[in-house]
Amino acid sequence: VSVTDDGTGKLTGTTQYFKIINGVQTLVKGNEAAFTNAYKATPYTAQASTLFQVRKTLTGRDWTDDDSFTFTLSGEKGNEPLPPIEQCTAAVTRGNTTTTFGDTDLTFNAAGDYVYYITEDTGSIAGVTYDTTVYKVVVSVTDDGTGNLTGTTKYFKIINGELAPVEGTEAA
């Protein structure tokens, strides 16, 4: 605040605001002290092995030691957190008919729906018809308003273009 005498016995005052950042003083336009706060929620983290699981059933004959079925995990838009590329494919065999897409922690930094697809790759085992079902996995991330992102996951089966919810966490 600066006060001056105009020479007639009348005092006048002016106010100037300065912002001090890192010891440097800068004049602020306007007549107020404006403060800005930033909010950023803590990311939501989930293990890929918890979110994405596959179970294979073979009907019509017994498994052989040579049987192997491969599955692919992909994101819908390209902005979804994914495991490393080498963990975006997974295989099952006679000895292990369930699998996951790695044990990597996936970090979700913003609220929104993250959409993934799990498909079975077509193989070449004689006489086997490969399953063309597409599984859709939706990870819904929300901001709880207290500084945390939280997530819920829903699983869907797409058959002939029709979407149906799936119970549990495994794509069959």
Side-chain angles (χ1 to χ4, degrees), residues 131-136 156-166 172:
D131 194 332
T132 59
T133 303
V134 175
Y135 285 87
K136 180 178 182 178
F156 302 91
K157 198 178 201 180
I158 303 171
I159 302 173
N160 299 326
E162 297 293 321
L163 189 67
V166 174

